[in-house]
Amino acid sequence: MFKKKQQKVKRFGWPTVIISGLICLLLGAGGVYYFMDQRLEAAEATSRSLGKIGTVYSALYQNYYRKVNREKLVNGALNGMVDALGDPFSEYMSKSETESLNNTISSSFTGIGAEVQKSGSQIKIISPIDGTPAKKAGLRANDIIEKINGKKINGYSLSKAVGLIRGKKGTKVTLTIKRGNETFTKTLVRDTIPVKTVSGHLVKNQPTIGYVKVSTFSENTAKEFKAELKKLQKKGAKSFIIDMRDNPGGLMDQALKMSSIFVKNGKILLQVKQRTGAAQVYKAGPKFDDGYKITGKTVVLINSGSASAAEIFSAALNQSAGAKLIGTKSYGKGTVQNTLPFSDKTELKMTIAKWLTPDGDWINHKGLQPTIKADYPKYAYQTAIDTKKTYQNGQVSKQIKKIQTLLQALGYQPGDVNGYYSDQTTAAVKKFQQDNQLTVSGKADAKTVNTLETKIAAKLSQNDPAYQRAIEAVK
């Protein structure tokens, strides 16, 4: 405890006190007038802007040569204001779009299982969720959706695009995807996106290592996460591999509750910086973890599909608990959004702040770098094969080269991987078709190509370099 030293008080005469008081009063009054002037100027500027918007609205509604829908004009104005921000994560949402967002947060919806965002005038995939149609179809982070069911969506709002992608379970949606310089089409069957966001198991032949996969951050994710950790501990787990790959993020509070489990009380989990004022600092403690802690060695798997809350969790464990990040660079979403609901059940979703890692880094568009880089083989990242065509002997194309690459990866012998459909490639396709109970034609039709890609996905899940490096790191 510090105690202030007592100082001798200097006394002033009444004239000095009166003059000083008047000066202070005048200075204070000037400050109030200045502050009020600022507020009045801001109010007048807002009034002028709204007046102009009202004038344009009235002119269009009353004088446009065709009848205009009121709601369409209002929504156009609202969407226009939000679009002017140039922020892919801010949007005005209709009633159906608001319902769609709420379903996503509560993790109970049907669709293809891909988190998307607006990127300029395009719709871009942030991450496909594990076990969903999007993941099974080979969609990846940064894929651009050019068409939905053959219709170009350039310039569409994010919510409008999502509304077209989602639909009843069992129905089909065809997406035209641009990846790099290539374009291909995939038809997906909509399904129920997993309500359970956390799964886990003990690592094979490593009974003291627990593996936990988190697919997204929804309302019950922290609760599921803690339950899974406790279950694995009862089975003997002492160290953990937390898989945040292809996790598009979600609710910030869930990330705080989960990361606090691995971080010592009082250490920083996250900093949130709004437009003005100091950053709000969130620290580990019972407020988030209810006193439940894990002190055993832990590593986190990340990749280009790890975004938002997944990055908050990963950065907290890396910078405040010394956990290694294994995999590839994360997505890089460093902003925080909130919603403003309206009585008509529409909402304004807007970016209200940027978030910083415990060390004060803003990773927006930069992502988190892995401590240990580990990745799948190159063939895992080649673009999907266009299934609109059937490929056969004598043809030459880039698509055939992809087929040869996958055949070779699966142990078949397609000959030179050069894009020419040779006799040897035909023989390899026939062998593959025979092994997988397909019609043996030697031609790579849609069914053959889809089966080929499915087999590759299964091979990759069994041969996961990042997962193997994680096991080595915690042993």
Side-chain angles (χ1 to χ4, degrees):
M1 180 184 289
F2 290 91
K3 191 176 181 180
K4 288 184 179 180
K5 291 181 181 178
Q6 288 185 339
Q7 294 181 333
K8 189 175 180 180
V9 178
K10 185 177 180 181
R11 298 185 181 277
F12 296 95
W14 281 111
T16 307
V17 173
I18 292 169
I19 293 169
S20 299
L22 286 170
I23 292 171
C24 290
L25 182 62
L26 289 169
L27 285 172
V32 171
Y33 286 137
Y34 175 69
F35 178 72
M36 287 179 68
D37 283 345
Q38 281 186 314
R39 293 290 294 271
L40 286 169
E41 283 177 17
E44 286 171 4
T46 301
S47 180
R48 285 194 299 271
S49 299
L50 290 176
K52 192 173 183 181
I53 291 169
T55 301
V56 171
Y57 169 83
S58 296
L60 291 173
Y61 184 72
Q62 294 172 9
N63 303 313
Y64 189 65
Y65 82 102
R66 287 188 305 192
K67 190 174 180 181
V68 180
N69 181 280
R70 284 181 183 273
E71 188 178 358
K72 192 173 182 180
L73 280 179
V74 172
N75 287 342
L78 294 170
N79 283 315
M81 280 191 283
V82 179
D83 288 346
L85 300 172
D87 177 8
F89 300 106
S90 294
E91 60 177 323
Y92 170 71
M93 299 182 294
S94 67
K95 184 179 176 180
S96 61
E97 291 163 350
T98 298
E99 185 180 355
S100 177
L101 175 65
N102 292 335
N103 286 339
T104 302
I105 291 171
S106 63
S107 66
S108 57
F109 58 95
T110 58
I112 66 168
E115 180 80 5
V116 294
Q117 74 165 64
K118 191 85 182 287
S119 179
S121 62
Q122 298 175 317
I123 303 297
K124 182 166 71 173
I125 292 176
I126 296 178
S127 178
I129 299 170
D130 260 2
T132 63
K135 185 71 174 179
K136 292 173 183 175
L139 300 187
R140 297 182 196 146
N142 297 314
D143 281 351
I144 302 295
I145 302 174
E146 292 196 325
K147 297 179 184 177
I148 301 173
N149 291 329
K151 190 172 184 178
K152 289 183 180 180
I153 61 165
N154 192 53
Y156 275 31
S157 70
L158 180 63
S159 299
K160 186 175 181 180
V162 169
L164 292 173
I165 293 170
R166 286 189 178 175
K168 290 182 179 180
K169 180 179 178 179
T171 58
K172 293 181 180 180
V173 59
T174 300
L175 304 181
T176 301
I177 302 293
K178 185 177 181 183
R179 184 182 297 165
N181 295 321
E182 295 192 53
T183 302
F184 58 93
T185 300
K186 282 286 180 182
T187 298
L188 297 83
V189 179
R190 298 180 179 101
D191 200 356
T192 301
I193 305 308
V195 174
K196 188 176 180 184
T197 59
V198 180
S199 59
H201 57 78
L202 289 178
V203 173
K204 189 177 180 180
N205 300 322
Q206 300 292 338
T208 62
I209 302 175
Y211 166 86
V212 181
K213 169 70 179 174
V214 184
S215 62
T216 187
F217 286 79
S218 298
E219 288 176 344
N220 294 315
T221 301
K223 186 179 177 181
E224 291 176 21
F225 186 66
K226 187 182 288 187
E228 190 63 44
L229 291 172
K230 288 182 177 181
K231 185 174 79 175
L232 292 173
Q233 282 181 317
K234 284 183 180 179
K235 290 182 177 180
K238 298 185 186 302
S239 52
F240 290 90
I241 298 167
I242 312 298
D243 195 344
M244 289 287 164
R245 292 177 297 180
D246 295 319
N247 183 323
L251 298 175
M252 188 181 85
D253 69 318
Q254 302 295 299
L256 291 171
K257 289 176 182 179
M258 292 159 64
S259 56
S260 184
I261 292 170
F262 301 89
V263 178
K264 287 182 180 178
N265 290 345
K267 286 207 165 189
I268 297 174
L269 300 173
L270 170 71
Q271 301 182 58
V272 175
K273 183 79 169 66
Q274 293 187 309
R275 185 165 68 183
T276 58
Q280 184 177 359
V281 178
Y282 296 86
K283 296 181 179 180
K287 174 184 176 183
F288 295 117
D289 56 44
D290 294 323
Y292 174 64
K293 294 286 187 182
I294 285 179
T295 56
K297 198 165 187 179
T298 301
V299 298
V300 183
L301 297 176
I302 60 170
N303 68 359
S304 60
S306 307
S308 187
E311 292 174 299
I312 290 173
F313 176 91
S314 302
L317 265 67
N318 177 238
Q319 296 182 6
S320 290
K324 291 178 179 178
L325 303 181
I326 300 175
T328 59
K329 183 172 71 73
S330 67
Y331 183 83
K333 179 184 178 294
T335 55
V336 180
Q337 284 72 41
N338 207 343
T339 56
L340 176 63
F342 300 105
S343 58
D344 60 356
K345 296 186 179 179
T346 62
E347 285 185 354
L348 172 65
K349 184 177 75 160
M350 61 178 167
T351 299
I352 58 166
K354 59 184 182 181
W355 67 264
L356 312 175
T357 69
D359 290 349
D361 301 324
W362 192 36
I363 65 159
N364 208 45
H365 302 306
K366 296 187 295 183
L368 297 167
Q369 292 292 343
T371 316
I372 300 172
K373 190 171 183 180
D375 204 357
Y376 289 110
K378 285 184 179 179
Y379 66 79
Y381 291 102
Q382 78 169 13
T383 55
I385 300 163
D386 191 347
T387 54
K388 281 186 175 181
K389 299 177 182 178
T390 295
Y391 308 95
Q392 56 188 318
N393 195 298
Q395 293 180 341
V396 179
S397 74
K398 290 181 180 179
Q399 302 299 314
I400 292 169
K401 186 175 181 179
K402 294 178 192 176
I403 292 169
Q404 292 169 329
T405 300
L406 298 189
L407 284 167
Q408 189 176 69
L410 291 171
Y412 295 89
Q413 304 300 321
D416 293 334
V417 180
N418 56 7
Y420 172 64
Y421 209 115
S422 63
D423 291 342
Q424 201 168 345
T425 301
T426 302
V429 171
K430 283 183 176 180
K431 183 69 169 67
F432 176 78
Q433 289 170 332
Q434 185 179 347
D435 291 346
N436 291 277
Q437 292 77 51
L438 299 168
T439 302
V440 181
S441 64
K443 298 177 182 179
D445 55 9
K447 198 166 185 180
T448 300
V449 169
N450 287 333
T451 304
L452 189 59
E453 290 180 334
T454 300
K455 291 292 179 183
I456 281 291
K459 178 181 172 67
L460 290 170
S461 67
Q462 294 167 4
N463 181 26
D464 185 341
Y467 179 68
Q468 295 302 323
R469 292 296 300 273
I471 293 171
E472 293 168 13
V474 297
K475 278 170 64 173

